[in-house]
Amino acid sequence: MFSSDLAIDLGTANTLIWARDKGIVLDEPSVVAIRQGHGSRQSRSILAVGAAAKRMLGRTPGNIEAIRPMKEGVIADFTVTGEMLKYFIRRVHENRLFQPSPRIVICVPCGSTQVERRAIRESAMAAGAREVYLIEEPMAAAVGAELPIEDPTGSMVLDIGGGTTEVGVISLGGIVYSASLRVAGDRMDEAIVGYVRRKYGLLIGEATAEKIKKKIATASKDSDIKEMEIKGRHIADGVPRSLMLNSKEINEALQECLTAIVNAIKMALEKTPPELGADIAEKGLVVTGGGALLRDLDRLLADQTSLPIITTEDPLTCVVRGCGRALEDAEKMGDVFLHE
Amino acid sequence: MTEEVDNKEPGLSLARARQEKGLAMDEVATRLHLSAAQVQSLEENDFESLPEATYVKGYIKNYAKLLGIDPAALIASYIERVNPRKNDTIETLAINQQKLKSSDDTKVMYTIIGIVVLVISIIGIWIGTQGYDEKNAGQKNTNVTTTEHTSDELFGPQLEAQSDDGSEPENIEGLDEPTDTLLQAAEQQEPQYPAAPENTDPISTATPATKISPPAVETNTKQEPAPEEIQVAKKTEGLVENERPDEIVLFFEENSWADIRDKNDKKLLYKTIDEGRVVTVKGKAPFKIFLGNANGVKLSYNGRQVNFDKYKRGLIARFTVGKR
């Protein structure tokens, strides 16, 4: 009555919240900036959450710490995640007279352990949820992409997020095969940082690496070449230097990650029962998540898997839309939630 | 150019663009990893034989990208064709959501303001009534105190001590009590009224009061009556100014306890009166009268003799005079 139901995509990179009858109401980076208190009390207080905190990443003085509380799709810092969730829920809750206590659908990586799932559930509870439903990410992505999940036909989803890459084969409202790979956007950033350091002896931060990835990175060797100037600290000199990078180099840097993702798809296809494999071969592979925005990823995947590759509209919000639809049409859709 | 997309025929636009590029359908099918039949269905707008909308949109997008044309218009025309009413793109949805949210916000705000105003007014009314009650109660209290005050003035400090039992004067102990208080009075060396003599007060003979009473019987009884009478008369006159007060005259042939109350239950007289005295009481009729030794008292009301023999029970008598 006083708080609407929420669907949350608690991602490693971004947290999105979908509210019933309203749609997506929040899209913020999963970053929390914490100020360490002075004196005897040593109290920790939250300085900023979301986009404001993300700008502080790697730019903080000693007493401030910018934390990404989610790592590889699961909770790395339980308390901070709870606080972040609480902040986000309060922000989307327009009725400020009452303490929000919504029902929450929250998605978890399919490869997460019982302990990790429990942590996510508990932190949502701590953030004021009345009830928490968990849904596996490939399922949420499939629902969000409006795939025919209840039909007796196979659908394959690839969700490349910030911390994990999830592959799932879905039929008759259930997951037939799923795999979670802890190689995704963050690992790509790290790969770029490592590549630039190895090749040019230049130290760059992860924020810069992310910028490079978004601007010029490509998945295919045959894509058009783009260039970008970056600045970093030279390891030997210790002074800042600028450098021109092109997309071919970045593609080289990302090779390892891309190969891992392609292999995961191949493994999934291998493990899928033949009838469903045939359905998938006919219809194609649906790609969602922020990773789907990597230039020419569809081209690489099509070449490697010989499947038609379908990138969903607005891949960043696909999972949260799926969570929302699952919440809205829970009766119609059958049992898509996780039970422990 | 191929940009001129036929609104209802996205497949035709694709086919035309493909022909312009000089590509064969098979070649396109291989490049898109689709079957030739699927490409043909796509070009012929035969969407029934193709999978769900999500996939078809993907195919159109990939096809358009391959041919180097803008996929957005094609996809829009596809959606138009398949599901005319479901024309909302994500952008328009988002705008709608914002509108919805803002209207919701104002609605919620007005509701809250309404509730707050209601609550404040309820609290205001409540406080108002409380204040009124308190004021009333205060007035009542002051009334009470003033009456008590006057009765104090009238009959001296011992009244309060007696008033508790005075409400049940039918009890024969009512006869004792004055002697008790008188005892106290005697002990305090404030001789005011003589104790009841032994012969007129048979019950009190059992009490030690009679033994101690002799020293309490002091001399100044003869001086008392006159000022007493005047006092009572004065006070009652003062209280009932606008009405002509009714008058009761009591002739005490023997010592007797007398308790006289007016219409408002105010004590006009409340003590033992000595024999041989005449007490005049003025106040509002009807008077409630209680006499401890009724045989020794005669009474007249507004100048007429009142016979209260039928109210006598043993020594005492309880009756009302001047009913209206």
Side-chain angles (χ1 to χ4, degrees):
Chain A
M1 182 183 164
F2 292 119
S3 35
S4 48
D5 297 340
L6 302 177
I8 301 179
D9 174 8
L10 187 60
T12 313
N14 294 298
T15 297
L16 287 94
I17 299 184
W18 177 100
R20 189 193 278 272
D21 303 329
K22 293 197 185 74
I24 295 159
V25 288
L26 181 124
D27 180 1
E28 291 267 0
S30 310
V31 187
V32 182
I34 291 171
R35 189 204 297 273
Q36 194 75 41
H38 303 284
S40 56
R41 285 175 64 207
Q42 292 286 310
S43 58
R44 278 153 50 115
S45 59
I46 289 176
L47 184 66
V49 181
K54 196 185 180 185
R55 280 198 295 275
M56 299 178 192
L57 267 181
R59 296 190 171 93
T60 52
N63 63 330
I64 296 172
E65 205 183 351
I67 296 176
R68 295 179 58 179
M70 303 289 291
K71 282 254 152 48
E72 296 176 339
V74 294
I75 292 176
D77 189 326
F78 183 81
T79 329
V80 175
T81 306
E83 287 300 318
M84 182 178 78
L85 261 184
K86 206 185 282 177
Y87 173 86
F88 285 148
I89 290 172
R90 214 175 294 145
R91 231 183 70 182
V92 302
H93 197 81
E94 69 222 15
N95 187 347
R96 284 173 184 82
L97 202 60
F98 301 97
Q99 187 76 17
S101 63
R103 290 196 306 169
I104 291 179
V105 171
I106 200 159
C107 59
V108 292
C110 56
S112 57
T113 63
Q114 287 271 336
V115 176
E116 290 162 342
R117 284 173 193 188
R118 197 181 156 83
I120 286 176
R121 185 192 289 274
E122 302 263 303
S123 90
M125 280 292 191
R130 177 162 38 119
E131 276 174 81
V132 179
Y133 302 98
L134 299 181
I135 183 168
E136 283 187 303
E137 254 161 48
M139 179 61 87
V143 175
E146 296 180 14
L147 301 186
I149 58 157
E150 301 109 291
D151 295 356
T153 167
S155 311
M156 192 172 189
V157 192
L158 175 73
D159 173 23
I160 307 173
T164 57
T165 296
E166 315 261 323
V167 193
V169 177
I170 291 155
S171 176
L172 285 168
I175 291 178
V176 179
Y177 172 86
S178 71
S180 182
L181 195 68
R182 304 209 163 182
V183 174
D186 286 350
R187 199 55 76 77
M188 292 182 193
D189 295 345
E190 284 169 28
I192 292 170
V193 171
Y195 178 86
V196 173
R197 192 180 58 220
R198 271 199 315 276
K199 191 164 179 194
Y200 297 103
L202 204 67
L203 273 180
I204 56 169
E206 279 182 19
T208 309
E210 196 186 349
K211 220 181 281 171
I212 295 167
K213 181 181 74 182
K214 282 182 178 164
K215 226 169 170 182
I216 62 166
T218 173
S220 172
K221 285 182 177 119
D222 311 322
S223 336
D224 306 332
I225 290 177
K226 286 187 179 176
E227 284 192 326
M228 183 186 175
E229 189 186 21
I230 56 150
K231 291 188 174 70
R233 178 165 61 85
H234 199 270
I235 295 172
D237 302 355
V239 292
R241 288 265 177 86
S242 69
L243 177 74
M244 235 23 199
L245 280 178
N246 68 39
S247 49
K248 211 154 182 106
E249 290 171 307
I250 303 304
N251 175 255
E252 218 179 301
L254 297 180
Q255 267 319 307
E256 203 184 320
C257 297
L258 295 170
T259 313
I261 291 170
V262 169
N263 285 342
I265 300 167
K266 284 182 177 165
M267 178 68 82
L269 288 169
E270 210 178 299
K271 293 273 174 70
T272 306
E275 281 300 329
L276 295 177
D279 291 338
I280 294 161
E282 195 195 323
K283 295 195 291 186
L285 166 64
V286 175
V287 186
T288 100
L293 295 171
L294 187 65
R295 191 156 62 104
D296 286 335
L297 180 75
D298 51 347
R299 203 156 147 189
L300 170 82
L301 296 179
D303 288 347
Q304 295 284 321
T305 61
S306 307
L307 291 173
I309 305 298
I310 291 106
T311 307
T312 57
E313 298 170 83
D314 204 1
L316 281 167
T317 63
C318 187
V319 169
V320 77
R321 278 186 283 133
C323 290
R325 254 191 75 200
L327 179 65
E328 221 162 38
D329 302 341
E331 300 82 27
K332 241 189 286 169
M333 220 170 280
D335 212 4
V336 292
F337 299 117
L338 266 179
H339 299 282
E340 283 160 45
Chain B
M1 264 289 282
T2 47
E3 301 295 324
E4 293 164 24
V5 178
D6 191 326
N7 256 349
K8 298 271 173 180
E9 306 284 331
L12 269 182
S13 317
L14 286 169
R16 244 183 279 152
R18 176 176 61 82
Q19 278 153 13
E20 273 177 32
K21 288 252 176 183
L23 289 166
M25 203 182 273
D26 287 349
E27 204 179 336
V28 169
T30 327
R31 303 258 299 260
L32 293 177
H33 300 280
L34 292 169
S35 67
Q38 281 176 311
V39 176
Q40 197 178 348
S41 302
L42 207 61
E43 288 189 358
E44 288 168 1
N45 297 314
D46 178 17
F47 300 119
E48 298 292 310
S49 61
L50 290 168
E52 289 71 26
T54 310
Y55 291 106
V56 177
K57 277 188 246 173
Y59 300 158
I60 293 173
K61 198 158 62 180
N62 291 348
Y63 199 168
K65 213 167 138 192
L66 180 74
L67 297 172
I69 58 174
D70 177 29
L74 290 169
I75 291 170
S77 66
Y78 162 71
I79 293 167
E80 181 84 10
R81 191 188 161 89
V82 176
N83 199 352
R85 73 189 158 73
K86 203 187 165 187
N87 205 12
D88 292 336
T89 57
I90 288 164
E91 285 88 342
T92 54
L93 263 177
I95 291 161
N96 284 342
Q97 283 153 13
Q98 276 193 341
K99 275 183 190 164
L100 198 79
K101 191 170 186 281
S102 59
S103 69
D104 260 21
D105 275 351
T106 49
K107 221 187 283 172
V108 168
M109 217 167 74
Y110 281 127
T111 317
I112 289 172
I113 288 171
I115 290 170
V116 165
V117 166
L118 199 72
V119 167
I120 287 173
S121 53
I122 287 170
I123 290 172
I125 290 166
W126 185 69
I127 287 173
T129 51
Q130 282 292 105
Y132 181 74
D133 282 353
E134 269 170 27
K135 217 184 277 174
N136 273 8
Q139 279 176 350
K140 276 176 193 164
N141 280 339
T142 52
N143 279 349
V144 169
T145 49
T146 51
T147 51
E148 275 177 5
H149 191 62
T150 49
S151 54
D152 274 1
E153 278 179 359
L154 269 174
F155 304 110
Q158 79 272 29
L159 271 177
E160 269 187 281
Q162 289 168 354
S163 62
D164 291 333
D165 293 2
S167 60
E168 292 180 46
E170 187 142 19
N171 199 330
I172 298 176
E173 278 169 18
L175 287 170
D176 282 346
E177 273 156 12
T179 53
D180 278 352
T181 49
L182 284 175
L183 267 181
Q184 286 167 11
E187 278 165 3
Q188 286 164 15
Q189 301 280 321
E190 287 177 33
Q192 289 176 357
Y193 312 109
E198 276 173 282
N199 55 346
T200 56
D201 202 344
I203 296 148
S204 62
T205 50
T207 67
T210 43
K211 286 171 189 169
I212 308 168
S213 55
V217 180
E218 287 293 331
T219 52
N220 60 355
T221 48
K222 280 158 198 168
Q223 294 161 1
E224 281 281 317
E228 184 75 19
E229 220 171 331
I230 294 158
Q231 256 188 5
V232 172
K234 260 188 194 168
K235 292 290 173 185
T236 45
E237 262 174 0
L239 277 169
V240 194
E241 276 175 13
N242 45 1
E243 253 182 79
R244 193 181 63 82
D246 298 303
E247 190 184 66
I248 285 179
V249 184
L250 295 154
F251 305 93
F252 286 90
E253 294 165 352
E254 295 170 17
N255 287 0
S256 172
W257 166 256
D259 173 3
I260 299 176
R261 293 161 195 238
D262 72 353
K263 185 182 164 193
N264 300 323
D265 217 28
K266 205 182 116 193
K267 289 172 188 166
L268 300 177
L269 188 63
Y270 194 84
K271 64 166 129 178
T272 306
I273 311 287
D274 299 339
E275 70 173 294
R277 286 181 55 182
V278 177
V279 176
T280 308
V281 176
K282 286 179 183 174
K284 277 187 192 169
F287 298 99
K288 281 183 199 158
I289 300 170
F290 175 81
L291 297 169
N293 184 12
N295 292 329
V297 182
K298 289 218 165 69
L299 185 144
S300 74
Y301 171 63
N302 286 347
R304 281 187 301 169
Q305 184 81 24
V306 178
N307 184 2
F308 53 91
D309 284 351
K310 58 181 172 181
Y311 303 111
K312 284 179 185 166
R313 269 181 219 153
L315 283 173
I316 62 159
R318 182 194 294 282
F319 55 97
T320 309
V321 167
K323 277 177 198 160
R324 288 187 179 172

